[in-house]
Amino acid sequence: MPATCVYGPGEVFIFDMARPVRLILPECFQTKALVLPRQVLGLSESDLRQIIASPLTSGTGLGGLLSILLSRLADTAGAYRPHTGELLARNVVDLLTVLADEQLGRISEGTPSGDAAMLLRIRNFIGRHLDDPDLTPEVIARAHHISVRYLHKIFEGEDTTVSRWIQSRRLEACRRDLAHREAASLSIVALAQGWGFTSAAHFSRVFRAAYGMSPSEWRDTHRP
């Protein structure tokens, strides 16, 4: 017999589009849907079966945050630049993954839920301030009222450091913009500075290390 769940206003739940679902709606309502490839959540079939149709937001601050974020994104999705949209999508997937792990009773392997929630907040903060050349671990820690030591600790599980995470996000942003027609009039130095790189030589070096070619070669290869 199929499971029956009751939802209230603002609830978020997952259902599998490959499986039938029946919604009984006794009164007028508005619903918003986000469609994701199932593999992005990294859940096995058995995991997915356990959380399908179960409310993910009940009684958690993180769930309430996701509900508000998804509702707002559904109304404004077309207003964001491509790289901003990708950052937001990554944050949504991170939130869903943490909530799914909570539902399954296994908050990321060995990571307390508080650390996971703080990591998501910090990633989001970094995404909003990538263009700030003064974005440092000290600035991030101060903005979140935590110590620099604790900041480094919660990034240990990501197999990276805070500074490397910032650099990789900046490189992604530069790589995307180099291929965009809208940025064709910008010099490579100006584009890199716009994403927080202060040294043209350093930017060129780390870009080549990450993508196997110089920024100018990337632009020439991927020019619209």
Side-chain angles (χ1 to χ4, degrees):
M1 182 176 177
T4 300
C5 294
V6 179
Y7 307 106
E11 295 280 17
V12 175
F13 67 95
I14 293 175
F15 69 93
D16 186 351
M17 296 178 68
R19 295 187 175 100
V21 61
R22 183 184 182 192
L23 297 177
I24 301 173
L25 309 163
E27 41 186 77
C28 292
F29 77 103
Q30 181 184 60
T31 185
K32 299 173 184 179
L34 172 69
V35 181
L36 293 171
R38 63 165 60 191
Q39 62 268 25
V40 301
L41 293 179
L43 297 174
S44 66
E45 282 294 322
S46 62
D47 289 341
L48 198 56
R49 282 195 295 270
Q50 289 183 63
I51 66 171
I52 278 179
S54 299
L56 295 180
T57 55
S58 296
T60 69
L62 198 57
L65 175 63
L66 177 64
S67 175
I68 295 169
L69 175 61
L70 288 179
S71 179
R72 182 63 177 160
L73 283 178
D75 295 334
T76 61
Y80 303 108
R81 294 171 59 192
H83 76 271
T84 303
E86 289 182 27
L87 287 170
L88 288 169
R90 185 162 52 238
N91 285 326
V92 167
V93 170
D94 286 341
L95 281 168
L96 280 171
T97 301
V98 172
L99 286 168
D101 281 345
E102 284 186 344
Q103 191 80 2
L104 293 165
R106 59 153 198 258
I107 304 295
S108 307
E109 189 177 338
T111 305
S113 60
D115 287 1
M118 179 60 74
L119 180 61
L120 290 174
R121 288 177 57 197
I122 290 169
R123 283 181 174 177
N124 200 13
F125 179 85
I126 291 172
R128 297 196 311 271
H129 295 85
L130 272 183
D131 58 349
D132 183 357
D134 295 322
L135 183 65
T136 63
E138 290 76 18
V139 168
I140 295 168
R142 188 161 56 248
H144 293 83
H145 309 290
I146 60 176
S147 68
V148 174
R149 181 178 180 180
Y150 176 56
L151 175 64
H152 288 306
K153 175 181 175 295
I154 62 177
F155 268 84
E156 287 176 0
E158 302 299 297
D159 197 27
T160 189
T161 65
V162 182
S163 297
R164 286 176 182 168
W165 176 268
I166 294 171
Q167 178 175 284
S168 67
R169 300 287 78 77
R170 284 174 170 162
L171 285 172
E172 285 183 16
C174 290
R175 177 180 60 86
R176 286 190 296 266
D177 280 2
L178 284 169
H180 286 168
R181 182 177 290 106
E182 293 82 356
S185 61
L186 284 177
S187 70
I188 289 174
V189 171
L191 189 149
Q193 289 176 340
W195 283 111
F197 285 100
T198 57
S199 165
H202 172 70
F203 168 64
S204 183
R205 185 169 60 253
V206 296
F207 190 97
R208 182 182 288 277
Y211 303 116
M213 62 180 71
S214 70
S216 59
E217 289 170 337
W218 179 273
R219 171 174 268 179
D220 291 342
T221 302
H222 298 83
R223 191 183 298 276

